[in-house]
Amino acid sequence: MTYMVNLFIQAQMELASKYNPADIESKWYQYWLEKGFFKSKPDNREPYTIVIPPPNVTGVLHMGHMLNNTIQDVLVRRARMKGKNACWVPGTDHASIATEAKVVGKLAAEGIKKTDLTREQFLEHAWDWTHKHGGIILEQLKKLGASCDWDRTAFTMDTPRSESVIKVFIDLYEKGLIYRGVRMVNWDPKALTALSDEEVIYKELSGKLYYLRYKIEGEDGYAVVATTRPETIMGDTAMCINPNDPKNAHLKGKKVLVPLINRVIPVIEDDYVDIEFGTGCLKVTPAHDVNDYVLGEKYNLPSIDIFNADGTLNEHGEMYANMDRFEVRAKIEKDLEAAGLLEKIEPYTNKVGFSERTDVVIEPKLSMQWFLKMEKLAQPALQAVMNDDIKLHPAKFKNTYRHWMENVKDWCISRQLWWGHRIPAWFLPQGGFVVAATREEALEKAKQIVNYTICADDLRQDEDCLDTWFSSWLWPISVFDGINNPDNEDIRYYYPTDDLVTAPEILFFWVARMIIAGYEYEGKLPFKNVYLTGIVRDKLGRKMSKSLGNSPDPLDLIAHYGADAVRLGMLFTSPAGNDLPYDDSLCEQGRNFNNKIWNAFRLVKGWEVKEIPQPESAAVAIKWFDSQLSKTMAEIDDLFSKYRLSEALMVVYKLFWDDFSSWYLEMIKPAYQQPIDKATYDATLGFFDVLLKILHPFMPFITEELWQALQDRKEGESIMVTLQPEPAPGNEQLIMQFEKVKEIIAGVRTIRLQKNVPNKEQLSLQITGDHNADFDAVIVKLCNLTSIEVVAEKSPGSISFLVGTTEYAVPMGSLINAEEEIQKMEAEITYLEGFLVSVMKKLGNEKFVANAKPEVVEAERKKQADAESKIASLKEGISGLK
């Protein structure tokens, strides 16, 4: 309690001369936590819910997290201040492949191999690693100001989530949607596991196209095959030609010999073969190519798997057994050449699949795996996005989403890993299996289908675990325990969630699958809007990454610039779906804005206040800014409704920096060492209160500090739980009129600047034409004028400018050297007359006028008119000075 009292005394004390974020950030975050402002429980308010894209449990904060979570926090804080019951659910993902790889690496450093351990022993190490390193990233998010309900923190392998995953697997299996079979999968030779198609990243590589000679059985000739993978010839079980290819018609019905090992294989015919590629002959290796696998199934060809799990060749690799696949490629090239079986090699560029996690080249491999049928499940999820029940921001990703969902393949959900949710399938001693949550339940199911005596110890659970995404696809449901307890209060109140903020690269990995799960298990969408962030890139356009060494440590940035400045830096140039070109200057700009707000606040709070009459200029300023504020708040609401957060920030930025600081405060500021009237001061504090509330979602720390210092606060109050005011109708006519006033003031200031007239030197202003005198008090103050006078003719020696059709003139009198001014203007006239001659030559050229584009001719005519107008104005100015 003493700490909190001291905190409030400190908040009311005079503010430091410079803003130091380190002094306030931890103070206010701790205060928010202690007061439970982040917590949410179902009540009668409208809920607003976001579930965090769960980062890897052992991960650390990177720039992508900074962008993503800043956006989420802005949305959550704003919803809270709009009166909604905001709930931001945090959590982490167990990340099977990444975490297991880290644990294996850690064990290797200690001289321990994974293969030396039992599954249980390895999992002990994995849990130790998770407990030691897990959750660090969530603690780091607190430094950013993330207002998550930390009491709701979930982990994809905690008990409720694990039970949810197993329950869903059993349910889908019993619905006939999960099956087990040998299929061609993407095999990761480093992680030693199968991958789904979406976990394969294709890169364009420069390689070689090898032309190999296959001897025709019983003849002296050869059939030549072009391949990028000569190391797989040991797995060839056929050669295929197109039946419509005349150049290879002589091979029909024949057999050929596999180079080096002379195994006989048949020549088959199928119009799948591209006649134009290579020689038109295709080597068929059903065990190691997806398309060859299809041909093998069609023509009942044998499959010869030549690879071990780690990418080395097995005994079917003959003389290359136990060698790495890429070593074999280099060696076999030499051996084929030596044997006269290599016709030629050409450079060739093709797309090669890499593991998204380990970045090694994947190997197509026949393997027994578990799959989820996707075609029917995907239909509601496809329609939801196409019909805009779920809106993608930006909408350009709809086409990408549709393409994937219309061509969806069955999902390989098994992984050859130990860290993860173990597949709840139990194999029986005499063949077959049952699917059940526990060994006891499996035994009961087994007894119903076997005709022999069986006990629990006879059952052997599948060694594989489930794909990590098989747990995270349930995230919007499972964080509210909606799978295990489908009708609980939380799931009824918070589901569907409102907004999901994530990266486009996991639109299919995660977003589409969550939509599928939402319709399958809740009968409705899991969220209403998906905000797709861009990629954070460096000045050279490269994606920021540790390997490139081009990514700053986010915590270092926060320590140097402050969390609010970094948040602004992430949002200044990051419209939805577009990449963020990051540079430290963005954070510098954010820090400068913090300082601007801080200094403006200190200026206002430093004024002496008295009960004196309100100046007319201040009364006008208050009316104008009140309208400008209302208009801008409505604009901000509109931008948020369109998820244009970056633009909304820039509107707020301009409102404070330009409208409030550069114009409003200048209009109401009292003269040096003079007091301000109480009415204007109170109105200004009211504006500051609203501005801080608008800024708070973007800049939570500085706004809390200043809001607490704005007036006496009670212990337990906070800006984050106040309501943002709704915009009132603004006076649009007043705003438009004031834009003209700005032009008038800018015109007078330009004359001062050009003629080196000090600001302390009073001027007068003459007007020829229509003029609204309602704002004269403001013009007099900001231009330091003695008078404003409407005249029929301006004074000799005046310098004038136009605003619309009205001419404004500043009599210069003795303020300038007439002779020098005349010389300057005559020199400018000489230059303009020379310029005008060149323009007139072009316009006098009939060919130019006839052949040039109309807009080009029009541009030249405008140059002519502008030059003539300027010359006339300068001549008039000279005559006035003589």
Side-chain angles (χ1 to χ4, degrees):
M1 179 63 75
T2 302
Y3 166 77
M4 297 315 305
V5 171
N6 288 340
L7 189 153
F8 274 88
I9 292 172
Q10 184 182 340
Q12 303 307 321
M13 290 170 63
E14 184 180 347
L15 292 173
S17 60
K18 289 186 177 180
Y19 174 57
N20 184 2
D23 292 341
I24 69 164
E25 289 177 356
S26 59
K27 171 183 77 175
W28 288 118
Y29 199 86
Q30 186 61 32
Y31 175 65
W32 296 330
L33 284 175
E34 289 181 9
K35 294 302 173 188
F37 292 144
F38 302 159
K39 294 180 182 179
S40 175
K41 291 183 179 179
D43 59 24
N44 58 3
R45 289 176 293 168
E46 178 187 348
Y48 175 83
T49 316
I50 286 184
V51 293
I52 200 170
N56 290 359
V57 65
T58 58
V60 293
L61 203 61
H62 59 60
M63 296 298 280
H65 294 134
M66 292 284 281
L67 174 61
N68 184 289
N69 287 283
T70 295
I71 291 167
Q72 289 178 82
D73 196 47
V74 169
L75 292 171
V76 167
R77 286 180 180 274
R78 189 170 188 276
R80 200 178 278 123
M81 296 181 78
K82 289 292 183 181
K84 297 178 182 178
N85 187 353
C87 180
W88 184 10
V89 183
T92 51
D93 187 277
H94 65 279
S96 287
I97 296 176
T99 303
E100 181 151 326
K102 286 182 179 179
V103 176
V104 168
K106 178 243 184 192
L107 291 173
E110 298 170 1
I112 304 171
K113 293 181 180 178
K114 177 186 172 184
T115 51
D116 294 337
L117 301 174
T118 65
R119 187 189 194 105
E120 289 68 29
Q121 289 171 332
F122 178 82
L123 289 176
E124 281 184 28
H125 286 285
W127 278 110
D128 287 345
W129 177 269
T130 300
H131 291 142
K132 182 178 179 181
H133 299 280
I136 291 174
I137 191 167
L138 298 184
E139 290 302 311
Q140 291 174 327
L141 284 176
K142 293 177 182 179
K143 295 285 186 186
L144 186 66
S147 58
C148 302
D149 184 347
W150 299 108
D151 291 349
R152 292 183 176 273
T153 301
F155 174 46
T156 51
M157 274 183 64
D158 63 22
T159 300
R161 263 51 65 180
S162 294
E163 289 176 352
S164 300
V165 169
I166 300 306
K167 187 171 183 179
V168 164
F169 182 95
I170 294 169
D171 176 65
L172 292 171
Y173 176 77
E174 290 176 348
K175 288 175 178 174
L177 294 172
I178 286 178
Y179 64 93
R180 184 172 183 261
V182 176
R183 297 288 186 279
M184 180 68 69
V185 298
N186 305 298
W187 184 261
D188 183 331
K190 185 174 181 182
L192 302 180
T193 182
L195 304 174
S196 67
D197 289 344
E198 296 73 45
E199 290 169 297
V200 178
I201 308 297
Y202 286 91
K203 301 179 186 180
E204 201 167 81
L205 298 182
S206 296
K208 298 177 180 178
L209 191 61
Y210 302 83
Y211 287 78
L212 312 184
R213 292 172 177 167
Y214 286 63
K215 191 175 187 307
I216 303 170
E217 187 183 40
E219 297 182 17
D220 293 332
Y222 292 90
V224 178
V225 170
T227 180
T228 58
R229 303 199 63 195
E231 69 274 15
T232 62
I233 60 172
M234 310 303 176
D236 290 357
T237 56
M239 176 182 286
C240 189
I241 59 172
N242 192 308
N244 304 310
D245 182 4
K247 68 178 180 293
N248 286 315
H250 66 286
L251 295 173
K252 290 184 178 183
K254 299 194 177 170
K255 295 181 180 180
V256 295
L257 307 181
V258 176
L260 299 178
I261 59 172
N262 295 326
R263 178 161 40 81
V264 178
I265 57 173
V267 176
I268 61 173
E269 300 170 44
D270 195 282
D271 56 13
Y272 161 75
V273 178
D274 182 355
I275 296 173
E276 301 302 321
F277 177 78
T279 62
C281 294
L282 177 76
K283 64 189 282 299
V284 182
T285 319
H288 300 294
D289 183 273
V290 175
N291 297 311
D292 291 6
Y293 172 71
V294 174
L295 285 173
E297 291 279 286
K298 185 174 181 180
Y299 294 100
N300 199 27
L301 299 173
S303 289
I304 303 174
D305 187 346
I306 67 167
F307 287 119
N308 294 314
D310 62 358
T312 59
L313 273 67
N314 59 27
E315 68 276 10
H316 296 300
E318 304 276 342
M319 66 285 269
Y320 305 109
N322 300 317
M323 289 178 65
D324 179 79
R325 53 189 169 153
F326 296 116
E327 290 178 13
V328 173
R329 184 178 298 178
K331 179 75 166 60
I332 206 168
E333 178 185 332
K334 295 175 183 175
D335 294 346
L336 288 164
E337 190 168 17
L341 298 173
L342 182 59
E343 180 143 312
K344 62 177 178 176
I345 297 175
E346 293 177 346
Y348 186 71
T349 301
N350 67 332
K351 289 188 175 180
V352 178
F354 284 75
S355 166
E356 190 257 348
R357 286 294 182 194
T358 63
D359 200 36
V360 300
V361 175
I362 61 103
E363 195 61 59
K365 180 180 171 69
L366 282 175
S367 180
M368 177 68 79
Q369 302 289 342
W370 292 87
F371 296 87
L372 174 61
K373 296 177 183 177
M374 294 291 282
E375 190 175 358
K376 288 184 179 178
L377 284 174
Q379 290 310 305
L382 172 60
Q383 294 306 314
V385 172
M386 290 301 103
N387 297 339
D388 281 339
D389 298 327
I390 298 172
K391 291 185 174 65
L392 303 186
H393 304 275
K396 67 181 181 181
F397 287 105
K398 282 176 70 173
N399 286 336
T400 314
Y401 180 89
R402 184 186 70 235
H403 174 76
W404 188 81
M405 294 296 272
E406 287 178 347
N407 297 279
V408 70
K409 297 177 182 177
D410 288 356
W411 176 9
C412 176
I413 58 173
S414 48
R415 297 291 180 270
Q416 287 61 57
L417 301 166
W418 284 349
W419 176 246
H421 301 100
R422 193 171 181 180
I423 291 175
W426 308 80
F427 296 102
L428 309 178
Q430 295 183 25
F433 62 86
V434 293
V435 171
T438 65
R439 186 178 293 271
E440 290 71 28
E441 290 176 20
L443 178 62
E444 292 306 310
K445 287 186 175 182
K447 286 179 178 177
Q448 295 173 21
I449 61 171
V450 301
N451 57 5
Y452 52 87
T453 303
I454 190 171
C455 68
D457 290 341
D458 294 328
L459 302 176
R460 179 178 59 84
Q461 188 174 358
D462 196 311
E463 291 291 321
D464 291 351
C465 74
L466 288 161
D467 179 8
T468 300
W469 298 105
F470 196 84
S471 54
S472 51
W473 78 319
L474 305 174
W475 192 243
I477 306 171
S478 66
V479 294
F480 300 115
D481 206 23
I483 298 294
N484 300 319
N485 299 291
D487 196 36
N488 75 73
E489 185 182 25
D490 277 0
I491 197 75
R492 288 200 310 269
Y493 182 75
Y494 293 113
Y495 189 96
T497 67
D498 289 86
D499 298 326
L500 178 75
V501 181
T502 189
E505 55 260 38
I506 55 173
L507 184 59
F508 315 120
F509 276 133
W510 191 44
V511 179
R513 290 168 178 166
M514 282 191 289
I515 299 172
I516 290 170
Y519 280 100
E520 181 67 16
Y521 287 101
E522 290 295 323
K524 52 191 172 185
L525 46 77
F527 29 72
K528 298 153 195 166
N529 296 281
V530 181
Y531 182 109
L532 296 159
T533 65
I535 296 170
V536 185
R537 298 188 181 276
D538 66 12
K539 286 185 283 188
L540 301 176
R542 301 174 302 173
K543 182 177 180 179
M544 285 192 163
S545 68
K546 285 182 183 177
S547 59
L548 287 176
N550 64 344
S551 179
D553 183 330
L555 295 182
D556 288 345
L557 291 177
I558 290 173
H560 186 67
Y561 295 103
D564 287 335
V566 176
R567 289 165 68 109
L568 293 185
M570 300 306 295
L571 290 175
F572 274 138
T573 58
S574 56
N578 289 353
D579 291 349
L580 164 63
Y582 175 81
D583 183 74
D584 283 351
S585 61
L586 293 169
C587 293
E588 187 74 46
Q589 185 182 355
R591 182 166 64 184
N592 292 343
F593 189 45
N594 276 278
N595 291 334
K596 184 75 172 179
I597 297 167
W598 188 265
N599 291 335
F601 187 86
R602 288 186 70 247
L603 173 72
V604 172
K605 293 294 281 186
W607 289 332
E608 181 188 358
V609 185
K610 284 191 175 180
E611 292 281 2
I612 55 176
Q614 184 182 56
E616 186 184 349
S617 58
V620 171
I622 290 167
K623 287 179 183 176
W624 165 73
F625 189 74
D626 189 47
S627 286
Q628 186 66 41
L629 183 60
S630 292
K631 178 189 175 185
T632 306
M633 288 169 63
E635 186 179 357
I636 292 165
D637 284 350
D638 179 62
L639 289 169
F640 265 97
S641 73
K642 297 170 182 173
Y643 291 83
R644 287 154 64 176
L645 273 63
S646 186
E647 291 176 55
L649 171 60
M650 292 312 297
V651 168
V652 179
Y653 181 90
K654 181 182 177 299
L655 174 69
F656 192 95
W657 195 292
D658 294 344
D659 298 329
F660 184 70
S661 298
S662 298
W663 286 103
Y664 174 78
L665 290 183
E666 289 300 312
M667 285 189 272
I668 61 129
K669 185 168 66 175
Y672 181 62
Q673 292 189 335
Q674 295 299 307
I676 190 170
D677 68 279
K678 190 172 187 306
T680 300
Y681 183 75
D682 289 346
T684 303
L685 292 188
F687 289 147
F688 228 118
D689 180 79
V690 175
L691 287 167
L692 290 173
K693 288 174 180 175
I694 298 171
L695 286 163
H696 178 78
F698 299 103
M699 312 168 71
F701 293 109
I702 191 172
T703 51
E704 183 72 84
E705 178 78 1
L706 296 181
W707 186 83
Q708 295 288 351
L710 193 63
Q711 64 183 60
D712 291 338
R713 304 291 181 192
K714 295 176 184 176
E715 201 272 334
E717 288 187 298
S718 170
I719 189 173
M720 70 170 285
V721 289
T722 62
L723 294 180
Q724 281 191 359
E726 293 299 317
N731 187 333
E732 192 65 38
Q733 185 179 5
L734 177 64
I735 292 169
M736 290 173 63
Q737 289 171 342
F738 194 76
E739 288 305 305
K740 286 190 175 181
V741 174
K742 287 181 181 179
E743 286 188 61
I744 297 167
I745 294 167
V748 175
R749 287 174 172 174
T750 299
I751 290 172
R752 278 189 184 277
L753 187 65
Q754 289 175 343
K755 305 309 175 188
N756 295 315
V757 180
N759 288 330
K760 65 181 179 180
E761 195 80 52
Q762 286 194 306
L763 301 173
S764 62
L765 185 65
Q766 296 178 342
I767 305 166
T768 307
D770 295 331
H771 173 70
N772 184 344
D774 293 347
F775 301 92
D776 281 2
V778 170
I779 297 170
V780 166
K781 177 171 183 175
L782 295 190
C783 294
N784 191 15
L785 303 177
T786 56
S787 64
I788 296 178
E789 185 183 6
V790 177
V791 297
E793 191 174 328
K794 65 187 178 185
S795 301
S798 297
I799 298 177
S800 63
F801 58 90
L802 289 173
V803 175
T805 57
T806 302
E807 184 177 22
Y808 293 84
V810 178
M812 300 308 292
S814 61
L815 292 172
I816 61 171
N817 185 315
E819 193 174 329
E820 285 182 6
E821 289 300 318
I822 289 171
Q823 285 178 357
K824 287 179 186 176
M825 287 191 276
E826 285 177 341
E828 192 170 354
I829 288 171
T830 302
Y831 166 77
L832 286 169
E833 286 175 340
F835 173 75
L836 188 58
V837 168
S838 67
V839 173
M840 297 307 295
K841 277 183 181 177
K842 277 189 181 179
L843 291 174
N845 184 330
E846 292 182 6
K847 285 187 178 180
F848 171 77
V849 174
N851 298 324
K853 291 182 179 178
E855 58 266 29
V856 173
V857 176
E858 185 57 37
E860 292 300 316
R861 286 183 176 143
K862 187 176 186 309
K863 288 178 187 177
Q864 175 193 353
D866 289 346
E868 289 172 343
S869 173
K870 191 77 183 285
I871 290 168
S873 179
L874 286 166
K875 286 181 176 178
E876 187 182 349
I878 290 171
S879 65
L881 290 171
K882 286 182 176 178

